[in-house]
Amino acid sequence: MKKIICLLFLLSITNVFSQQCPKYKFHKLLKLGRGLGNATHSYCTGSDLGELPVNLFEHKLDLNQVYHADLGDGMYYYKVILALDRCSDQGDLIDDTSNINPVELSCNDLSWKYHKVITLGSTLVAAQNKVCNNNITGTQHKLNIYIDVPLILNKVYRLDIGDGNGLQYYYVKLRSYTKGDPDYEVLGSSFDDTAVSISCDSDGDGVPDHEDLCPNTYSSTSNYGCPGFPHYKPHRQSELSAPTWGNYELGYATGSNNPIFLSRFQNGFILFNRLLFKNIGDGDGVVAPIKIHFYISKDGTVSEDDFKFPTHAVYNGKLKAGETTLNPDGPRNFKLLGSSVGDKLSYGWYKLLIVVDEENYLHGRTGVYSIPLEYVNSHIGHPAKTIGESNSVKNKPYRIDIFDLNGSTIKSEKVISKDKEENIINQLPSGKYIIKTPESTKKISK
């Protein structure tokens, strides 16, 4: 019998609530604080004292508006974060809404703002030494500054706080949008409210610590503040897998110096079964990933006129000087699609360029690998041609002349390919040379 009475009582309450509830509007409010100062600080810094769910009788508040009201536990400032036209069982039913008043809070009003600052010294050098050595020590002062926006936290400012020590450098430890109990009061118009620029360079190599990946090691190069410089270069022909042919109109190629071709039809593609490269520079690679981009070029050098494939291969590691990417670490089974080229290039002979670490290549500091390539308009596959079979590119002999920096001839020889030219250069002893061919004159160091 008692169970039946309790059930009937609960049903009665539920029925009354269901009848009353449609007249209420559900809200979620953020408590900002009791006092105007604390509320302003909470509002401007995005902090709060928690959420309050309530249902207001026939009253819907404006979203994101701040109100001052007593909703059962005293007067508080509230920010509206949710306002619905329906009732909910999540919050209390509030009948009296007459004491809910809108309030305008501003985060950039000219007013007193409370700060705690630490004295760093009277010179920029003294301030910089403390900041850069993470030694933020000194006398602490509490300030009210008459300003529109508080000073930036963890920044340094130069001002006279009125303690008789004149202009000093101060580190901002705490800031507030409201007035506090200060040691000194300072007018914002009396000093430059722009933070002082502090540039830390622990090793003195000219690269700021926040950009220096080796902040405690001096470097005379631009390798992100680290010694030496990486020079990434794809492997030579003998270090790459041989071409493999499939049932497509395009032969699979792994990057050998044998000419290859690319068709725009029937999903033509070039497949790199294994893409290897080596850091032949004098510095470790300190940034990952390393991106490998691909171009189709007329003259074998990257320019704005070349076609650049929209996709690139990626090596996610960092290569130390002398290291080589090895499977499975290096990019594998990477495709270049003929459909990407489409009608952007006319058909004929080009150079496929593999550019490793493109940003540094464009500054002349890393390698590029060139493979003869024919772009064809064909549906039917055929074996790779030799360059001599093309009317537009011929294997004509040319002369390479090598001089020392004094102009004396070291070597002068006829060659028939870039491979032969590179072999001659690789056999030179360590030193600095001037290399002259019909196409270019360049200076190298070995």
Side-chain angles (χ1 to χ4, degrees), residues 64-83:
N64 296 320
Q65 175 67 48
V66 176
Y67 292 86
H68 192 215
D70 183 353
L71 299 177
D73 56 353
M75 296 296 291
Y76 272 91
Y77 289 87
Y78 298 94
K79 179 183 176 182
V80 181
I81 60 172
L82 179 66

Side-chain angles (χ1 to χ4, degrees), residues 2 29 177 193 208 219 259 267 273 406:
K2 289 182 178 179
L29 310 175
Y177 283 82
D193 62 357
S219 172
N267 297 321
N273 288 325
N406 295 322

Side-chain angles (χ1 to χ4, degrees), residues 27-46:
H27 295 75
K28 279 188 179 180
L29 310 175
L30 286 182
K31 274 188 173 182
L32 300 180
R34 287 187 181 274
L36 179 60
N38 290 335
T40 301
H41 182 72
S42 297
Y43 176 76
C44 295
T45 57

Side-chain angles (χ1 to χ4, degrees), residues 159-183:
L159 63 154
D160 184 347
I161 66 173
D163 62 350
N165 291 320
L167 287 169
Q168 300 281 317
Y169 289 88
Y170 295 92
Y171 179 87
V172 180
K173 180 182 178 181
L174 179 146
R175 59 142 188 198
S176 172
Y177 283 82
T178 60
K179 187 176 183 179
D181 182 18
D183 300 323

